[in-house]
C-alpha cells in the first residue's frame, strides 16, 4: 500500500487536516471539520497527490454541497444548519480545499 510522503503529511498537519486512512486502490482519505462542524472528508489518489488535491478543490461545487445538505434536512436528517450557515460553511470548505491545494503545490515547486 502506497502512503503519502512525509513532506505532504507536514503540509496536511499544518493546515489542520488529518489522514483517516488509505484504501486498497491507492487513495488516501483526509478529513477536517468545517466551521459549522461538518466532518468533511475527501478521498484522492496518493500518486500525484498535490495534483489530485488541486483537482478535487477545483471540482468542489459549493452549490451542490449546499443542495445536498438542504435535501438531507428535507429527508429528516437532524442537526443540519440553516441555509445561511450552509452557504457560509460551503464557501469556507471551498477555501480550505484551495488553501491545502495551494500549499501542496507550493511545497512541490520548492523542490
Amino acid at each position: 500500500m502506497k502512503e503519502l510522503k512525509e513532506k505532504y503529511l507536514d503540509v496536511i498537519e499544518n493546515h489542520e487536516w488529518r489522514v483517516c486512512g488509505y484504501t486498497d486502490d491507492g487513495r488516501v482519505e483526509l478529513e477536517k471539520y468545517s466551521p459549522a462542524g461538518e466532518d468533511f472528508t475527501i478521498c484522492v489518489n496518493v500518486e500525484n497527490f498535490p495534483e489530485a488535491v488541486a483537482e478535487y478543490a477545483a471540482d468542489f461545487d459549493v452549490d451542490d454541497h449546499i443542495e445536498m445538505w438542504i435535501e438531507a434536512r428535507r429527508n429528516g436528517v437532524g442537526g443540519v444548519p440553516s441555509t445561511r450557515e450552509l452557504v457560509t460553511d460551503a464557501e469556507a470548505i471551498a477555501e480550505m480545499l484551495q488553501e491545502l491545494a495551494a500549499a501542496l503545490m507550493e511545497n512541490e515547486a520548492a523542490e
Side-chain angles (χ1 to χ4, degrees):
M1 177 181 331
K2 196 168 184 179
E3 294 189 5
L4 292 174
K5 297 176 184 176
E6 190 67 35
K7 67 180 185 175
Y8 299 146
L9 294 173
D10 291 342
V11 173
I12 290 166
E13 185 177 304
N14 288 339
H15 285 81
E16 300 176 353
W17 286 82
R18 183 178 80 81
V19 173
C20 297
Y22 295 89
T23 64
D24 292 334
D25 63 350
R27 296 180 300 151
V28 60
E29 187 174 357
L30 305 177
E31 78 172 345
K32 182 174 181 176
Y33 282 92
S34 72
E38 178 183 347
D39 184 6
F40 184 77
T41 60
I42 66 172
C43 197
V44 295
N45 287 326
V46 171
E47 192 165 331
N48 301 318
F49 179 66
E51 293 85 1
V53 172
E55 184 176 326
Y56 191 100
D59 290 344
F60 181 75
D61 189 312
V62 170
D63 292 330
D64 283 348
H65 194 78
I66 295 163
E67 289 171 19
M68 172 193 70
W69 282 112
I70 290 172
E71 186 65 28
R73 184 172 49 217
R74 285 187 189 130
N75 290 323
V77 173
V80 177
S82 69
T83 302
R84 182 173 299 176
E85 189 172 357
L86 287 173
V87 169
T88 302
D89 200 53
E91 290 170 343
I93 291 169
E95 189 173 317
M96 292 173 359
L97 288 165
Q98 290 295 331
E99 287 172 357
L100 179 62
L104 288 165
M105 295 301 279
E106 184 178 301
N107 183 278
E108 193 74 358
E111 291 195 357

